[in-house]
Amino acid sequence: MSGDSSEGITIDGSVLEGGGQILRNATALSCILGCSVIIENIRAGRSSPGLRPQHLSGLEICRDLSGGKLNGAEVGSQKVKLVPGKLKSGSFLADTKTAGSVCLLTQSALPLMLFADNPTEVRLRGGTNAAMAPPIDYFIWVLKPVLERFGITFECILNRRGFYPRGGGEVVVKANPIAFIKPVELTEFGQIRRIFGLSFVAGTLPIKMAHLMADSARSVIRRFDKNLQMNIEVKKETDRTAFGNGSGIILVAETSTGCVLAGTGLGSRDVKAEDVGFQAGEELVRNLEQGGCVDDFMQDQLIVMMALAKGRSKIRTGSITLHTQTAIHIAERMTAAKFTIEKISEKQSIIECEGIGFENK
């Protein structure tokens, strides 16, 4: 672990998971806390190390939202320095110009938007349904209601879906400033109340593929519990609502205590539609069987909020992921927040954090 200096906090971008998440969390916390950050060894262990276009877009939107300065920000760079200014409100644009995930861009941008002085709108362009990233549907249907438990409200408008390789999707996120982030306690799973979802195709792909994904997902869930109420919409996107060919499925489970968990699948030319639906169903069932109050992909996305919250947060999860361990490492590196993880069974853990109580002044 690198040390601090008069130039700011230095973060080793190759530590633990060693991917773009370190960049996103470190820059978001840097801008909110008003402290400079140097990130080195960026994605050092990846096949294409350094910044990719989507990472550069994430850095640039943080710079713009904070009125800051960036050094070393170019594709391929393995070291950047961000010197944030004062958080700004208004309208902003982040365009990956590729199929880079717009959902990952929001992980950097949204926390900054919450601590601006007035409402903020960010228009994000790129891939809405991309590999190695949550789909936009997850952001709207799963992350949004969980963040509302922290007192965070925002609007997310899906204007157009975009897919690999051309991107072309567009999402608009609007947020009002908040005074502080509330702590949460998510420890009771409750009973599964309903499962809903969406199976879609776009472009020249036939609607039959969406039906095959949905049918396969239903069969997996019925084997888990044949009595569960299910409503999976099957949809063919239009040329206005999607750019290019693409397909995907999301399945969402709601419980009686307000827990929201999901399973997702992204279509590709190398994978049968039935297998995409099966993957989504298996992912959802795996999350439900663990009994955590958030799914595996939600864990790490809540760490920044827990660190900044005004009070103690406590969340029951499934097995702790490497992404979560990495997010905790960065949060503790950059804030005075302290996390504890208690393993309560082979499949469950409790994450607790005494947040720093950051206030919007």
Side-chain angles (χ1 to χ4, degrees):
M1 182 168 64
S2 301
D4 300 344
S5 72
S6 59
E7 293 188 332
I9 298 174
T10 300
I11 298 292
D12 182 353
S14 67
V15 73
L16 294 171
E17 193 274 332
Q21 177 210 34
I22 293 175
L23 201 66
R24 291 186 293 273
N25 287 11
T27 52
L29 287 169
S30 166
C31 293
I32 291 169
L33 300 173
C35 63
S36 299
V37 65
I38 299 167
I39 307 168
E40 53 191 18
N41 303 321
I42 295 170
R43 303 180 67 254
R46 298 298 198 257
S47 57
S48 298
L51 297 176
R52 304 308 304 152
Q54 64 267 31
H55 305 122
L56 182 57
S57 296
L59 283 170
E60 290 172 342
I61 191 61
C62 285
R63 175 201 63 196
D64 295 346
L65 285 165
S66 70
K69 296 179 181 179
L70 268 175
N71 293 320
E74 57 186 40
V75 172
S77 173
Q78 292 190 55
K79 182 177 180 179
V80 297
K81 180 179 180 181
L82 174 62
V83 181
K86 185 182 187 312
L87 292 177
K88 299 165 67 176
S89 55
S91 297
F92 300 86
L93 171 67
D95 189 347
T96 67
K97 298 182 174 62
T98 67
S101 171
V102 298
C103 293
L104 295 182
L105 290 180
T106 62
Q107 289 183 11
S108 297
L110 182 60
L112 278 62
M113 297 167 70
L114 301 175
F115 292 104
D117 56 353
N118 281 297
T120 304
E121 174 181 307
V122 177
R123 191 172 299 268
L124 306 156
R125 292 174 181 160
T128 59
N129 299 78
M132 307 299 290
I136 187 60
D137 314 273
Y138 184 95
F139 186 74
I140 296 171
W141 288 357
V142 187
L143 182 61
K144 188 173 184 288
V146 174
L147 290 184
E148 286 172 355
R149 305 283 284 267
F150 288 87
I152 297 168
T153 58
F154 61 92
E155 185 178 2
C156 183
I157 304 163
L158 172 58
N159 286 338
R160 184 173 58 251
R161 293 186 187 274
F163 314 98
Y164 179 83
R166 294 191 294 168
E170 183 177 275
V171 169
V172 177
V173 179
K174 301 178 181 180
N176 291 319
I178 60 175
F180 57 87
I181 294 174
K182 299 176 181 177
V184 300
E185 183 161 324
L186 300 173
T187 56
E188 298 298 326
F189 181 81
Q191 301 296 317
I192 302 170
R193 190 173 64 184
R194 66 169 181 142
I195 290 175
F196 64 96
L198 172 68
S199 180
F200 73 88
V201 294
T204 60
L205 301 182
I207 188 68
K208 179 183 177 182
M209 291 179 63
H211 283 287
L212 288 171
M213 288 190 293
D215 289 344
S216 181
R218 288 188 191 99
S219 67
V220 173
I221 295 168
R222 286 196 183 103
R223 285 199 297 273
F224 169 67
D225 187 339
K226 64 182 180 180
N227 297 316
L228 285 176
Q229 177 187 342
M230 257 187 294
N231 180 21
I232 303 173
E233 179 187 1
V234 174
K235 184 178 182 181
K236 168 80 172 180
E237 299 284 2
T238 68
D239 291 341
R240 184 183 62 82
T241 61
F243 180 73
N245 291 345
S247 63
I249 183 170
I250 180 169
L251 309 168
V252 181
E254 287 183 353
T255 77
S256 56
T257 57
C259 298
V260 189
L261 304 93
T264 65
L266 178 67
S268 81
R269 63 180 60 188
D270 302 322
V271 182
K272 293 179 180 179
E274 300 95 315
D275 293 339
V276 176
F278 180 85
Q279 170 198 319
E282 286 277 286
E283 188 177 285
L284 177 62
V285 167
R286 184 170 62 252
N287 281 313
L288 293 174
E289 286 179 335
Q290 288 187 135
C293 295
V294 298
D295 62 47
D296 286 350
F297 293 105
M298 180 68 67
Q299 290 180 21
D300 67 287
Q301 297 184 66
L302 303 181
I303 298 303
V304 167
M305 304 306 180
M306 294 174 74
L308 295 172
K310 195 174 186 178
R312 177 170 288 272
S313 294
K314 186 176 182 180
I315 299 177
R316 181 189 296 265
T317 72
S319 301
I320 301 298
T321 67
L322 183 57
H323 272 92
T324 299
Q325 294 175 45
T326 308
I328 289 173
H329 170 80
I330 298 302
E332 291 188 332
R333 214 33 210 96
M334 298 193 65
T335 75
K338 294 299 177 185
F339 287 81
T340 60
I341 298 174
E342 178 189 0
K343 188 173 182 180
I344 56 177
S345 72
E346 282 303 309
K347 291 185 177 181
Q348 288 187 13
S349 294
I350 296 281
I351 303 175
E352 288 194 63
C353 174
E354 186 67 41
I356 64 173
F358 186 83
E359 295 185 354
N360 191 356
K361 297 179 180 178

